[in-house]
Amino acid sequence: MPLDLSTTICGKKLSTCIYNASGPRTGSSDALSKVASSRSGAVLAKSATVNEQTGNPLPRTFQADGKGSLNSEGLPNKGIDYYLSQDTIEESMGESGKPYFVSISGHNLADNLAMLKKIDSVDGVSGVELNLACPNVIGHPIIAYDFDQMDAVLSAVSKLKLQKPLGVKLPPYFDGPHFAAAAKVLNKYKSSISYAASINTVGNALVVDTVAEMPAISPKGGFGGLSGPAVKYTALANVKKMRDLLDETIDVVGVGGVETGEDAFQFLLCGAAAVQVGTKHWIEGAKCFDRIVGELEELMEKKGYKSVGEFRGKLKPWSKEGASKSRKAKKMSGGGNTRAEQAKIPVGKGGILPTIIVSFLLGLLLATAGFSAAGGDVTMGGFVPFGSLLKIHDGLEGARMGGKKKREL
Ligand code: SIN
C-alpha cells in the first residue's frame, strides 16, 4: 500500500505535506508552474504588495557556505492583481488540482485590508498568507514583534469576515514570554486564523566579506534575513512552542532550514501540519520537492509509519532509553557516536572489545611464534600490541576527560 503523505491545512487537502515557502522562485507563473508539477502538495505565491515593485537595491542576496543564506530582497513582486489573475492561476497550476495560496505583505494596514478584500472573491485561490514578519522593508519594523500592532492588524482583518482561509507568517521568537504573547494574540483571533507559518527568516543578520572588509549585500547596511540550515533549530523550537500554545483549531506550518526528508520529519514530529521549503527551493529548484518527499517516504518506510498522522506532533520527552537507542543506531550505522569514535581512536566497527581481543591474540601470536622463532625479545614482542592497548585506553581516558572538561566549562 502506498504511504499517505497527505495533510490538511485550512480545510484544504494537500497530496503531500511538503510545499514551497513564499520567497524565492515564487514570483512568476513560470516559477510557480514548476512547483505545481513537482510533488509539492500546494503552491504558494510570493508575498505581494498592492502594486508591482522591484524591491531593494542589488546585490541583495548571499549564499553563505552552505549553512545559511542572507536576503534583503524587499519584496520584489508583480503586484497582487498579477497573482490573482485567472491567467496567472491557470499558467501556474495547470491541471495539477493542487491548492493555490497567495501571500501578502502590504506597506500598511490599509493595503493589507484592500488586498484581502480583493482576494476573497477570486476563484482558484485556496487561501491567503498574511506576512507579518518581513524584516527587509526599509523603515518598517517586523509587525509581529510589536504585539499591540499585531493585535490591531488582526482585529481589523477579523472584521472583514473573510470567506477564504487566512494564515499568518510569523518571525522567529526566542524567549518564553514572547512565544506566549504572540500565541495569546493569535488565539484571540482564532476564528479568523486557520494557520500560523513559523518561521520567516531570522531578521537582521550580517555577513561580512573579509577581503573587501564590507557587508556581503548592499541594502540596509548589509543587514538581511538569515535562512537555511543555520535557522532550522530555531524554526523547530518555534513550531513546537506554537503547537503547544496555539488553539488546536490553528494549524502550524513549519518552515526554516528544511533541506531533507529527515528535516521535514522533525518538523512534523514537532507538530507541523505541513512543511514549507524556501532556501533549498531557491538553491536546488522545484526538483527539491520530489527529492524531499521521496526521502520522507523512505524514512517513514524504515520506521514503519504508513501515514504522517501516525507520528505528527508526537515528539517524545528526552529519556535515557531513547538516548541509548539512538546511540546504538548510530553505532550500527557506523556514525561516530561513542567517545572512542569521536576521539578518532582506531577501533573496529564492532567497538572496543573486538579490538582488545584482536590485539591480545596478536600479541600472543607474536610472543609465542614470530619473535621466539627469530630469537627475538619475547617480552618486546608481547608489548607491541599491549602498547596499542595502552594507547587505546589513554585515548578513551582522554576522550572521557575531554567530555568531563567540556561539562565543567
Ligand atoms: C523579502 O522579499 O525581502 C523577503 C520576504 C520576507 O522575508 O518576508
Side-chain angles (χ1 to χ4, degrees):
M1 212 175 78
L3 300 181
D4 181 7
L5 269 74
S6 70
T7 192
T8 305
I9 51 165
C10 353
K12 308 286 169 192
K13 173 126 187 203
L14 277 61
S15 53
T16 71
C17 55
I18 314 286
Y19 68 114
N20 71 286
S22 175
R25 296 184 189 269
T26 59
S28 69
S29 59
D30 185 38
L32 293 171
S33 70
K34 292 188 177 94
V35 179
S37 37
S38 75
R39 294 190 74 189
S40 174
V43 176
L44 171 60
K46 174 90 184 154
S47 286
T49 47
V50 170
N51 299 308
E52 181 168 8
Q53 62 181 34
T54 54
N56 293 342
L58 300 171
R60 59 194 183 190
T61 60
F62 183 81
Q63 301 281 359
D65 60 26
K67 296 193 183 83
S69 297
L70 194 75
N71 91 78
S72 180
E73 294 207 281
L75 301 164
N77 74 94
K78 292 176 182 287
I80 189 63
D81 290 343
Y82 172 83
Y83 301 102
L84 297 181
S85 92
Q86 289 305 311
D87 281 353
T88 302
I89 297 174
E90 241 173 79
E91 285 163 22
S92 301
M93 304 308 296
E95 301 292 307
S96 70
K98 294 176 180 177
Y100 171 65
F101 294 95
V102 292
S103 167
I104 59 167
S105 192
H107 289 295
N108 50 47
L109 179 56
D111 280 6
N112 279 329
L113 295 177
M115 286 191 280
L116 286 169
K117 277 189 212 155
K118 244 183 199 177
I119 293 163
D120 213 30
S121 61
V122 177
D123 285 342
V125 175
S126 297
V128 52
E129 189 169 291
L130 173 62
N131 185 354
L132 299 176
C134 181
N136 305 329
V137 183
I138 295 164
H140 289 260
I142 294 170
I143 294 172
Y145 281 156
D146 174 345
F147 299 116
D148 290 340
Q149 193 188 0
M150 183 169 156
D151 193 322
V153 169
L154 292 175
S155 166
V157 169
S158 72
K159 291 196 180 95
L160 293 178
K161 304 260 176 260
L162 297 170
Q163 297 302 306
K164 302 266 190 218
L166 175 80
V168 290
K169 179 89 170 260
L170 299 175
Y173 296 105
F174 302 96
D175 199 14
H178 294 168
F179 284 118
K184 192 174 168 199
V185 175
L186 295 172
N187 284 338
K188 188 170 163 189
Y189 300 102
K190 65 182 180 190
S191 59
S192 304
I193 299 171
S194 295
Y195 75 87
S198 280
I199 57 170
N200 203 325
T201 53
V202 175
N204 297 304
L206 179 67
V207 175
V208 172
D209 178 330
T210 316
V211 173
E213 302 181 8
M214 65 179 197
I217 61 171
S218 151
K220 281 187 73 181
F223 283 54
L226 183 68
S227 63
V231 311
K232 188 185 88 169
Y233 302 108
T234 297
L236 283 168
N238 274 259
V239 166
K240 174 75 179 105
K241 265 288 178 196
M242 283 302 165
R243 186 58 284 155
D244 289 348
L245 295 172
L246 289 179
D247 190 272
E248 63 184 15
T249 57
I250 304 176
D251 285 325
V252 178
V253 173
V255 49
V258 176
E259 297 210 305
T260 65
E262 186 178 355
D263 293 335
F265 179 80
Q266 293 172 356
F267 275 87
L268 293 161
L269 266 187
C270 289
V275 177
Q276 296 179 350
V277 183
T279 302
K280 199 62 183 169
H281 176 208
W282 179 17
I283 295 166
E284 190 176 327
K287 64 179 185 299
C288 76
F289 300 107
D290 301 341
R291 181 183 54 75
I292 293 170
V293 169
E295 288 170 358
L296 178 59
E297 279 173 339
E298 245 174 65
L299 185 58
M300 284 171 60
E301 220 152 48
K302 245 190 233 165
K303 284 178 165 278
Y305 290 124
K306 303 248 176 311
S307 74
V308 165
E310 287 173 25
F311 60 90
R312 182 175 34 224
K314 297 198 175 146
L315 185 72
K316 297 169 187 158
W318 189 91
S319 68
K320 276 187 183 165
E321 296 70 35
S324 149
K325 187 177 163 191
S326 178
R327 262 197 312 273
K328 275 185 199 143
K330 275 188 194 157
K331 211 165 144 189
M332 292 289 283
S333 69
N337 195 45
T338 63
R339 292 217 172 104
E341 284 161 344
Q342 284 164 8
K344 293 208 170 34
I345 293 155
V347 294
K349 265 199 174 174
I352 188 84
L353 200 61
T355 312
I356 291 172
I357 293 166
V358 168
S359 298
F360 181 75
L361 290 175
L362 203 65
L364 220 56
L365 200 70
L366 284 170
T368 55
F371 276 75
S372 48
D377 185 338
V378 174
T379 325
M380 275 300 291
F383 266 120
V384 176
F386 285 112
S388 310
L389 269 181
L390 284 174
K391 270 191 209 135
I392 291 166
H393 177 76
D394 286 346
L396 272 172
E397 281 305 303
R400 285 202 190 104
M401 284 298 289
K404 195 164 174 229
K405 263 186 204 148
K406 259 182 224 145
R407 275 198 296 279
E408 278 165 2
L409 283 174

